[in-house]
């Protein structure tokens, strides 16, 4: 019974959150004097094939970012530094791939490994600081973001090639043989084509690997155990310092993948206009997806879908594109709140059940809610 | 422990999103319906304007393009629609912006800023029957693309010379918004101009942020700190090419009783009255003229293509004289201007 109820509530919570977000966003639109009906009918239109491709591509990038954050979240580490990690990793990956020391896909593989290694090392700095000096990873990773920006800007200037008359700079282009070809969604004779990144396959594999490592290996168990109770982890013989460093590095390695779909599938070089801010979006997406590999994928698709609406909303409906960011923020908050509500409801139920079972003769109600079932409800 | 971490994360990401939302500013639909009320609204031209980050209302780069559009709205009664880029958006978002304009029947479409370089190249190829213009990029070569570029280094040379002629400490400064090749053109021209007047002059130079952090174009506090550092270091005139951060440079100049040089538009006219007196001159980059001339040609039934360079010879760049602070050196500046036009003086475009 409880199991069924729990599953039902698990479905209900995100649904409730979406409805609440819908209502709140509508209220924002009304108070801003925007045409609510037009906005929703534009957003809820069936997207064209090329828009679907854009959504999948953007979701692929956001998914990797969400995974990177989730790895650390699972151990109760808050890696705000995914942003800096993916940028420095994408830069190194771009330089390695652009230099093309190896032929064809060997070059691609080398670049991917280098990018992951750099991401891991960069995040590892915060891990080591936390493990040895007790520096909060929140502070150190956010500081490392700034350092990453400056380091990349400096190195980019050294490594940059610039086309005559262009106002952008970038690394050397990746040779054609090392690019990851797109998967066409629809063939077009003229006009825009609809292609999704070949890297989407690798993103799916990363998701599967995340699920496997977290829930089917001893390492994943240690990681989650440490996240839920450090003292219990120590008692059961887990080396928490070592876990902290390894987890941060793992999170950084996944962060190293974030920029690569763009790099190998579209931009072919790292330059002035390379997409920034993906790491911060990843935090919201990991939260929304509740650190679950499928949940993160859905969250990434939802965010990518909303972002794709920003242009039509602006051009066709005449609504400020900031409404998209507002909707995203509202969804994150409503999801967190609705899950909290469901969790408390279940905890209370569980407590009253236990109380009844233990003291069948005692007519008194359940004791004050204590977070005993906390971990189970969230795992 | 775990709970507080989740709450912290939720608050953090919500505030990031909120900040993104705030960053936009600008009233994107400001010119909606402008065509209906104006006289001579018979052209029926639908013009799409794709701004860079900041959009209309940034008091700088984008506003300058908007001014050109507004003039065209007034004179030709065109039907405009505007759309601004968001910070940290993907390449495909820029492409989609252009495609959405095409699908909605807008032609021509003007892309403001070099960030659209790749997007315009791609979308112009997809839609050969539509017409595009891009500002600040000359690499896109297509029959349906017009490249509107400026010789920022030439205008900067003149204000650099003006600074060198006016300084009493033989020490001047340059504050760039974001270190990009484009802003380096301003720096290179400024230094060359100052050294042309006085080879021994000291030019302090700094940038507020590095790629991909473009906040240096919209951070007056940081601009102020940078300029204060230069004034403390002996400079008495600071030139800024930092968009919205320039307001801070003016403040620093006003508080320390020094001078500043504006950029892009005649900032003596647009800046806060309290700092008006410190704006010795401004380097003019007439994006509004470029946009208006392009739309004039389109209104006459012709779609320009290829590179149009707005340099000193066509007054595409220059310096402003409002306030009269450079009137006494106007002859010398005009001499430099003529030498640049005649090719006697070559202005470097990279430091």
């Amino acid at each position: 019974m409880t199991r069924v109820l729990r599953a039902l509530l698990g479905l209900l919570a995100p649904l409730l959150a979406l409805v609440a977000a819908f209502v709140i966003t509508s209220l924002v639109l009304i108070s801003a004097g925007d045409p609510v009906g037009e906005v929703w009918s534009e957003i809820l239109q069936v997207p064209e094939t090329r828009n679907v491709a854009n959504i999948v591509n953007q979701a692929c990038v956001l998914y990797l970012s969400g995974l990177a954050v989730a790895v650390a979240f699972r151990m109760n580490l808050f890696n705000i530094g995914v942003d800096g990690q993916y940028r420095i990793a994408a830069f190194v990956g771009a330089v390695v791939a652009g230099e093309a020391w190896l032929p064809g896909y060997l070059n691609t593989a080398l670049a991917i490994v280098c990018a992951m290694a750099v991401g891991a090392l960069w995040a590892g700095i915060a891990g080591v600081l936390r493990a040895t000096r007790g520096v909060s990873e929140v502070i150190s990773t956010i500081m490392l973001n700034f350092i990453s920006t400056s380091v990349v800007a400096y190195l980019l200037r050294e490594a940059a090639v610039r086309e005559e008359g262009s106002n952008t700079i970038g690394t050397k282009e990746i040779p054609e043989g090392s690019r990851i070809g797109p998967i066409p969604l629809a063939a077009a004779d003229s006009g825009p084509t609809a292609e999704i990144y070949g890297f989407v396959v690798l993103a799916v594999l990363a998701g599967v690997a995340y699920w496997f490592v977290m829930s089917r290996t001893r390492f994943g168990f240690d990681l989650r155990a440490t996240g839920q109770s450090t003292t219990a982890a120590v008692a059961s013989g887990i080396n928490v310092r070592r876990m902290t460093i390894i987890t941060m590095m793992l999170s950084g390695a996944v962060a190293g993948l974030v920029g690569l779909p763009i790099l190998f599938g579209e931009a072919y070089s790292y330059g002035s206009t390379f997409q920034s801010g993906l790491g911060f979006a990843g935090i919201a997406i990991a939260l929304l997806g509740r650190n679950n590999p499928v949940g993160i994928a859905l969250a990434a698709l939802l965010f990518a879908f909303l972002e794709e609406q920003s242009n039509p909303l602006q051009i066709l409906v005449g609504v400020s594109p900031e409404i998209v960011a507002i909707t995203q923020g509202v969804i994150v908050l409503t999801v967190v709140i609705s899950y909290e509500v469901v969790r408390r409801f279940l905890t209370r139920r569980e407590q009253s059940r236990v109380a009844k079972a233990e003291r069948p003769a005692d007519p008194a109600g359940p004791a004050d809610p204590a977070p005993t079932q906390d971990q189970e409800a969230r795992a | 422990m775990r709970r507080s971490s989740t709450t912290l994360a939720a608050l953090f990401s919500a505030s990031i999103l909120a900040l993104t939302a705030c960053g936009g500013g600008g009233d994107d639909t400001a010119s909606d319906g402008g065509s209906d009320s104006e006289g001579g609204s018979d052209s029926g031209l639908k013009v799409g304007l794709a701004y860079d980050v900041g959009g209309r209302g940034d008091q700088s780069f984008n506003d300058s393009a908007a001014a050109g559009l507004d003039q065209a709205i007034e004179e030709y009664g065109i039907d405009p629609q505007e759309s601004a880029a968001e910070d940290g958006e993907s390449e495909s978002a820029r492409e989609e912006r252009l495609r959405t304009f095409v699908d909605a029947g807008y032609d021509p479409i003007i892309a403001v800023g070099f960030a659209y370089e790749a997007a315009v190249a791609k979308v112009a190829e997809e839609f050969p029957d539509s017409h595009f213009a891009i500002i600040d990029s000359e690499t896109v070569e297509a029959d349906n693309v017009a490249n509107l570029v400026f010789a920022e280094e030439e205008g900067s040379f003149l204000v650099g010379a003006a600074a060198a002629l006016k300084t009493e400490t033989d020490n001047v400064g340059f504050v760039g918004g974001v270190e990009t090749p484009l802003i380096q053109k301003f720096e290179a021209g400024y230094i060359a101009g100052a050294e042309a007047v006085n080879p021994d002059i000291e030019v302090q130079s700094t940038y507020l942020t590095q790629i991909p952090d473009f906040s240096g174009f919209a951070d007056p506090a940081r601009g102020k700190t940078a300029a204060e550092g230069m004034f403390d270091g002996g400079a008495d005139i600071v030139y800024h090419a930092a968009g919205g951060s320039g307001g801070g440079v003016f403040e620093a100049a006003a508080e320390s009783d020094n001078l500043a040089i504006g950029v892009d538009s005649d900032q003596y006219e647009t800046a806060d009255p309290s700092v008006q007196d410190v704006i010795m001159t401004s380097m003019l980059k007439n994006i509004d003229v470029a946009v208006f001339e392009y739309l004039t040609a389109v209104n006459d039934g012709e779609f320009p293509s290829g590179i149009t360079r707005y340099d000193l010879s066509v007054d595409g760049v220059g310096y402003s004289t409002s306030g009269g602070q450079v009137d006494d050196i106007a002859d010398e500046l005009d001499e430099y201007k003529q030498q640049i036009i005649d090719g006697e003086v070559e202005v470097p475009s990279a430091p």
Side-chain angles (χ1 to χ4, degrees), chain B residues 44-63:
Chain B
L45 211 57
K46 287 179 83 179
V47 178
L49 204 66
Y51 292 113
D52 208 337
V53 176
R56 185 190 275 268
D58 71 344
Q59 301 211 331
S60 177
F61 184 64
N62 290 303
D63 262 359

Side-chain angles (χ1 to χ4, degrees), chain A residues 50 166-167 310-311 314 318 322, chain B residues 21 29 84 86 93 96-97 136:
Chain A
R50 72 158 201 263
S166 169
N167 278 320
S310 131
N311 282 316
Q314 223 183 147
E322 278 76 36
Chain B
T29 52
E86 280 161 86
E96 271 309 303
R97 183 163 306 118
D136 278 350

Side-chain angles (χ1 to χ4, degrees), chain A residues 59-84:
Chain A
C60 166
V61 177
L62 293 174
Y63 181 62
L64 289 169
S65 178
L67 274 188
V69 177
V71 169
F73 263 161
R74 273 296 176 93
M75 212 186 105
N76 213 9
L77 290 169
F78 193 6
N79 183 3
I80 307 188
V82 171
D83 210 65

Side-chain angles (χ1 to χ4, degrees), chain B residues 92-231:
Chain B
S92 67
R94 281 187 281 271
E95 289 165 11
E96 271 309 303
R97 183 163 306 118
L98 302 178
R99 290 192 195 113
T100 311
F101 272 128
V102 173
D103 281 351
Y106 289 94
D107 188 32
I109 295 148
I110 302 174
V112 183
F114 63 80
Y116 285 101
E117 199 168 273
V120 167
K122 192 169 174 186
V123 177
E125 198 184 332
E126 290 170 357
F127 299 98
D129 296 332
S130 295
H131 301 86
F132 301 85
I134 179 163
I135 291 167
D136 278 350
S137 169
E138 52 187 272
T139 55
V140 191
E141 284 176 45
D143 289 341
N144 57 340
V145 177
N147 311 75
L148 312 177
V149 297
F150 295 82
E152 294 91 350
E153 70 279 9
E154 293 184 0
S156 298
F157 183 97
L158 293 185
V159 296
L165 289 166
K166 280 284 187 180
T167 179
E168 285 163 9
T169 57
D170 284 345
N171 190 331
V172 296
F174 170 81
V175 175
V178 183
E179 187 155 13
T180 64
L182 177 67
I183 304 302
Q184 284 172 336
K185 281 164 85 178
F186 291 79
E187 181 193 3
Y190 181 70
I191 294 175
E195 288 178 347
V197 171
N198 176 3
D200 299 324
I201 197 166
E202 190 184 331
V203 184
Q204 305 179 46
S205 181
T206 192
Y207 288 87
L208 300 181
T209 61
Q210 302 287 343
I211 296 166
D213 179 1
F214 283 87
S215 65
F217 287 130
D219 193 343
R222 221 189 294 213
K224 187 176 177 182
T225 313
E228 277 170 350
M230 290 180 173
F231 292 129

